[in-house]
Amino acid sequence: MAKPKKAKEVKAMKGRSAGAARKKNKPQPIVEQSPEATLAEREKSYRSLFNTIVEAIYILNPDGTFVEVNNGACKMYGYPRKYFIGKTSEFLSPRGKNNFQLMLSKLKLAFAGSPQVIEFWGLKKNGLEFLKEIRLKKGSYFGRNIIIATARDITAQRKIELELKESEQRYRTLQQASFGGIGMHDKGVIIDCNQGLCDITGYTRKELIGFNGLNLIAPEWRKYVMEKILSSTESPYDVDGLQKDGSKYALEVQAKNIPYKGKIVRVTEFRNITDRKVAEGKIREQNARLTTVSDDLRRKNEQLEEFTQIVSHNLRSPVGNILTLIGFLESSSSEQDRAELLTMLKESSTTAQETLLELHEVLKIKQDKQIPRQQLRFADVFRHVESMLSAKIAEVSATIETDFDSIPSILYPNIYLESIFLNLLSNSLKYLRKGVRPVIKFKTYRQDRCIILEASDNGSGVNMERYAHQIFKLHKTFHKHPESRGIGLFMIKNQIETLGGDISMKSKENKGTTVSINFNKRDIDEPEVADNRSGR
C-alpha cells in the first residue's frame, strides 16, 4: 500500500505542472525568411500552377519573343521549354502560312491594353501542321509588363465548322437550284425557305421565316395537311395552295423528316402543278371525247349488225308467210279460197316491202343521231305484226288475246317495237306444246313509274334451271326446231337495253313462258305517254 504524500511534496508537484503549462503556451519567436527565399517559394507555387493548366500559355515580350511557356505549350509543339525562350513564334510556323505583320500589330494592341484574338498555323516538332486560336492580353510578370498568350488547338473544330459550312452551302445551293419551293418547318412553323417558295407564294423570305406554313394551304385542306405532318408522311400528295393575294392554285406537296439542331423537322417541297392539272384535265376531256366517239362507233357498229340481223330475221317471217300462202294457193281448188289467199299474199308482200323500206330509212340515219322515236299505239303496231304472221296463226289455230287499255301508246322507235312484237309472237307460234291449242296473250300496264309489256303463252316452255343464264345470248337454242337460230331474243334484248329498258323471262317446261319488258327501267322519267287513241 502506497504511502500518502506529504503536503509540501503535493504543492511542489502542482507548482511544476503549472510552470510547464505556462511554458508550453508561451508564443514562439518568428523566424523571418530572406527575400530571396520568399521569392523562390512564390515562383515555385506560380510555376506549379502555371504548369498544371492544360491550355498552352506563353509569356511574351512586346516584340513577340518568348519569356516563358508552360507544359501545355511544350506538349502542344513537342519541344522542351528551353527551345522557346528568347525566340519568336516563326520557328513554330509552317512556311508561308502566317501573317507575322498582323501578329505584331495584334501584339502591340494587346500590350496597349486591348485584348486580341488571332488564328495561327502551328508546326509541331514531328512536322504536323495544326491550327490554333491565340488570345492575347496584357499582364504583369514579376514586376514587368508582358503579354500573356493562351492557345488551343482548333484544327478539329475548324474542320467540323468547315464541313458544316460546306454542308450548309450544298443545302443552300440545292435549295436555290430547285424549281419548286422548299421550306424547312417545325410542325408548320417555317424555319428556313428558298427563293422558289417566295416565287410560288408571293411572300418575301423575311415574311416567311417564322410564318405558319399551314396558312399557305387553302383552309379546307389544312386539317388534312396537319394529319400528314403529324404522321410523318413522305409520299407526295395534292392539295390547293393559297397565295399571298388570296388566289388558289393546284399544289403538290412532298416532305421528309430530317434532324436539325437536336430535333426532327420537316423539309417540304412545294410544286405549283396548275399547268399539269390543266393538261391532265385536257387529256381527260380528250379521252372522254375519244371514249364517246369510240362508244358511238361501237354503238353504230352494233346497230348495223343488229339491223343486219333484223333484215335476216324480220323478213324471214313474212317471206315464210308468203311461201306458206303460195303453198295453200297451189293446193286450193276453190276460187273463193284462192281469192282470199291472193289477198293475204298481197298483204304479206306489202308488209315485207314496208319492212324493207323502214330498214332502209333506219340505215340512212346519220351516225351522230339517235334512232328516232315516234308516238306509237301498241294495238296498231301489234296488228301490223299479226298480219305478217297471219298464215302461221291460222296454221296452228292460235288464239291471240291483247289488252293495251292501261297503257295504249308509247314514245319508241317503230322498227324496234315491231321487232319486239314480231319476235315474241313468232316464238310463241313456233314453240308449241304438243296436243294443246296455243293461247298467246299480250298486255301493257304501269308498274311504279315504268311501262311494262307482258307476253305469255302456254307453249313448250324452257328449263330455266338449266338454261336461264343463256336465254338471251346469241345463237343459243333450247329446242330441236328446224327454224331455231338463237337470234330473236338476243336481238330484242339489245334493242331494249339500248333505249334504257330491260327484259326478263319466266318459264317452265310444258307450262309455258312469260316475257316481261320494262321499257324505261333505267330512265325513271317515264317516256311520253299519249292517252288518246289516235293512230300513229
Side-chain angles (χ1 to χ4, degrees):
M1 183 174 178
K3 295 180 180 180
K5 293 182 180 181
K6 294 180 178 181
K8 287 184 177 182
E9 291 178 352
V10 172
K11 185 176 182 182
M13 289 178 66
K14 287 182 177 180
R16 285 195 298 270
S17 297
R22 284 193 299 270
K23 187 177 181 179
K24 183 177 181 181
N25 293 330
K26 185 177 180 180
Q28 299 296 317
I30 297 173
V31 179
E32 293 186 1
Q33 290 183 323
S34 66
E36 292 80 6
T38 301
L39 183 62
E41 186 175 337
R42 288 180 179 177
E43 184 175 353
K44 182 179 179 182
S45 299
Y46 155 78
R47 188 162 298 281
S48 176
L49 177 63
F50 187 57
N51 286 317
T52 56
I53 298 174
V54 177
E55 276 190 329
I57 301 179
Y58 317 100
I59 307 298
L60 303 173
N61 288 314
D63 63 357
T65 55
F66 291 102
V67 176
E68 183 63 275
V69 297
N70 72 344
N71 288 345
C74 297
K75 185 176 181 181
M76 177 177 283
Y77 281 97
Y79 291 101
R81 176 176 169 274
K82 66 180 181 179
Y83 274 80
F84 290 86
I85 308 304
K87 297 179 181 178
T88 67
S89 59
E90 287 190 39
F91 87 99
L92 301 174
S93 171
R95 186 181 297 274
K97 278 205 169 187
N98 291 313
N99 184 341
F100 286 99
Q101 291 301 319
L102 177 64
M103 171 69 79
L104 288 173
S105 67
K106 294 284 185 180
L107 288 170
K108 288 180 181 179
L109 289 172
F111 194 74
S114 176
Q116 301 292 310
V117 178
I118 190 172
E119 290 184 0
F120 184 86
W121 280 97
L123 181 66
K124 295 177 183 287
K125 184 179 181 181
N126 61 9
L128 184 66
E129 295 180 4
F130 68 101
L131 184 66
K132 63 181 180 177
E133 179 188 80
I134 302 174
R135 295 181 178 272
L136 305 173
K137 186 176 181 180
K138 183 179 181 180
S140 176
Y141 181 73
F142 294 106
R144 60 184 176 128
N145 292 328
I146 45 84
I147 298 170
I148 300 173
T150 58
R152 63 188 182 94
D153 188 336
I154 60 170
T155 307
Q157 176 187 325
R158 188 67 66 218
K159 182 180 179 182
I160 292 171
E161 289 174 354
L162 182 61
E163 289 176 351
L164 185 61
K165 184 177 179 180
E166 289 175 352
S167 176
E168 176 69 19
Q169 185 61 41
R170 286 195 300 271
Y171 165 74
R172 183 68 59 187
T173 301
L174 289 173
Q175 189 188 54
Q176 298 301 334
S178 172
F179 291 108
I182 296 177
M184 182 189 298
H185 67 89
D186 183 10
K187 292 184 175 59
V189 178
I190 298 174
I191 301 169
D192 195 6
C193 68
N194 71 343
Q195 184 59 41
L197 189 61
C198 301
D199 296 339
I200 288 175
T201 63
Y203 290 92
T204 64
R205 184 171 183 273
K206 184 178 180 181
E207 289 174 321
L208 287 173
I209 303 302
F211 191 74
N212 186 348
L214 287 176
N215 291 330
L216 302 177
I217 307 298
E220 63 271 22
W221 287 100
R222 288 172 187 169
K223 181 179 178 182
Y224 174 77
V225 172
M226 181 53 77
E227 289 173 354
K228 294 289 186 182
I229 293 173
L230 295 177
S231 63
S232 300
T233 299
E234 296 191 352
S235 300
Y237 56 91
D238 296 349
V239 296
D240 287 338
L242 193 64
Q243 295 176 327
K244 185 178 180 179
D245 61 6
S247 58
K248 290 184 179 181
Y249 65 100
L251 171 65
E252 180 188 74
V253 179
Q254 184 168 13
K256 287 189 177 295
N257 293 332
I258 64 166
Y260 177 77
K261 293 185 177 180
K263 59 182 177 180
I264 299 298
V265 299
R266 302 265 285 176
V267 173
T268 302
E269 182 175 15
F270 280 41
R271 283 189 177 274
N272 187 332
I273 57 171
T274 302
D275 291 341
R276 191 182 82 189
K277 288 291 185 180
V278 170
E280 289 174 354
K282 290 180 179 179
I283 291 172
R284 283 194 297 270
E285 290 174 4
Q286 186 66 22
N287 287 340
R289 285 196 292 268
L290 291 173
T291 300
T292 300
V293 171
S294 176
D295 290 344
D296 187 59
L297 289 173
R298 178 181 53 78
R299 182 177 57 81
K300 295 301 182 184
N301 287 335
E302 288 175 353
Q303 287 180 353
L304 289 173
E305 183 179 353
E306 190 176 278
F307 293 145
T308 303
Q309 297 290 350
I310 291 174
V311 170
S312 173
H313 192 268
N314 287 19
L315 288 179
R316 190 172 73 253
S317 295
V319 169
N321 197 53
I322 290 171
L323 291 174
T324 301
L325 290 172
I326 290 173
F328 287 161
L329 186 61
E330 288 176 342
S331 61
S332 177
S333 58
S334 169
E335 289 298 325
Q336 184 178 354
D337 289 346
R338 289 173 66 84
E340 290 179 2
L341 289 169
L342 283 171
T343 300
M344 294 173 66
L345 188 59
K346 288 179 182 180
E347 289 179 357
S348 292
S349 299
T350 300
T351 299
Q353 185 181 23
E354 289 176 354
T355 300
L356 280 172
L357 290 173
E358 287 183 350
L359 288 171
H360 177 69
E361 289 300 319
V362 170
L363 290 173
K364 289 196 305 180
I365 297 173
K366 293 180 180 180
Q367 287 191 349
D368 60 346
K369 291 184 179 179
Q370 298 294 328
I371 296 174
R373 304 186 186 199
Q374 302 91 36
Q375 195 68 45
L376 305 174
R377 286 177 56 82
F378 286 107
D380 292 340
V381 178
F382 183 78
R383 193 160 44 244
H384 179 66
V385 170
E386 189 177 22
S387 67
M388 295 167 63
L389 300 173
S390 58
K392 186 65 176 179
I393 293 170
E395 180 184 352
V396 299
S397 302
T399 298
I400 309 296
E401 299 177 5
T402 61
D403 179 6
F404 302 124
D405 291 338
S406 294
I407 306 293
S409 57
I410 187 172
L411 188 66
Y412 212 71
N414 183 65
I415 187 69
Y416 279 5
L417 190 58
E418 279 192 6
S419 179
I420 291 167
F421 275 134
L422 184 60
N423 278 284
L424 294 179
L425 182 56
S426 62
N427 278 350
S428 294
L429 294 172
K430 188 186 304 180
Y431 303 113
L432 306 175
R433 186 153 35 119
K434 189 174 181 181
V436 177
R437 183 177 179 177
V439 177
I440 304 168
K441 299 178 181 180
F442 285 84
K443 68 175 181 178
T444 57
Y445 59 92
R446 189 184 302 278
Q447 181 175 296
D448 297 329
R449 298 173 63 186
C450 300
I451 296 174
I452 309 296
L453 170 65
E454 186 175 280
S456 60
D457 63 47
N458 59 347
S460 59
V462 178
N463 184 341
M464 295 298 283
E465 292 182 359
R466 183 176 181 182
Y467 297 117
H469 64 291
Q470 297 180 345
I471 287 295
F472 297 105
K473 291 188 177 180
L474 184 62
H475 299 311
K476 296 297 181 181
T477 59
F478 315 105
H479 300 90
K480 293 180 180 180
H481 193 286
E483 296 183 18
S484 294
R485 296 176 60 196
I487 293 175
L489 290 177
F490 167 79
M491 186 168 56
I492 65 172
K493 174 180 170 62
N494 281 275
Q495 293 168 348
I496 293 165
E497 290 182 347
T498 297
L499 297 176
D502 189 29
I503 183 171
S504 60
M505 177 187 287
K506 294 179 181 179
S507 186
K508 288 186 178 181
E509 283 187 297
N510 297 318
K511 294 289 184 179
T513 299
T514 298
V515 176
S516 295
I517 297 170
N518 185 335
F519 285 103
N520 51 343
K521 180 178 181 180
R522 293 194 299 274
D523 182 10
I524 298 302
D525 296 328
E526 62 186 47
E528 184 181 340
V529 177
D531 292 328
N532 61 66
R533 296 179 182 271
S534 61
R536 55 192 167 111

